Amino acid sequence: QVQLVESGGGLVQAGGSLRLSCAASGMLGSINAMGWYRQAPGKQRELVATITSSGSTNYADSVKGRFIISGDSTKNTVYLQMDSPKPEDTAVYYCYVLSQYGRNYWGKGTLVTVSS
């Protein structure tokens, strides 16, 4: 069974920093891409950042210059370094995996709350 284990969420003050991590395991084959999405109260889920197996990254305009996505292919792990978070970054953050077979996997989510 495929498992995505997220960690690192919590309460952080605006201007602080936080790092999320997500480790994927199980029979998912090779991973084509991993990333982070988020959903704030009353809003739809949106892309935060993704990274492909070749290292290409994509960021939402709202987080460019503040968040950095990285990965460790040997551990099937993706990270999200959140610097200078803002209250509007408050959301449940979901880990995402796209396997070589075209299957999508989602973590259960970790709550990030940014106080001002």
Side-chain angles (χ1 to χ4, degrees):
Q1 181 177 349
V2 174
Q3 294 180 325
L4 275 61
V5 180
E6 301 147 318
S7 63
L11 177 65
V12 64
Q13 291 185 332
S17 65
L18 199 67
R19 191 178 81 152
L20 307 182
S21 64
C22 174
S25 63
M27 298 296 292
L28 47 68
S30 297
I31 294 175
N32 284 354
M34 296 185 74
W36 294 93
Y37 289 71
R38 68 186 182 188
Q39 186 167 24
K43 297 184 178 180
Q44 294 184 324
R45 185 181 62 186
E46 65 176 357
L47 168 77
V48 178
T50 59
I51 184 168
T52 69
S53 60
S54 63
S56 297
T57 58
N58 184 42
Y59 295 91
D61 288 341
S62 60
V63 307
K64 287 182 179 178
R66 299 188 297 118
F67 295 0
I68 298 294
I69 189 169
S70 62
D72 184 342
S73 61
T74 66
K75 298 180 179 180
N76 282 347
T77 299
V78 66
Y79 306 93
L80 185 69
Q81 179 67 41
M82 304 171 62
D83 293 333
S84 300
K86 305 174 181 179
E88 50 263 45
D89 294 318
T90 295
V92 176
Y93 285 70
Y94 296 92
C95 180
Y96 165 79
V97 171
L98 173 64
S99 79
Q100 67 179 109
Y101 304 111
R103 296 174 180 171
N104 299 304
Y105 300 95
W106 295 92
K108 295 182 179 180
T110 184
L111 177 64
V112 173
T113 302
V114 183
S115 63
S116 61

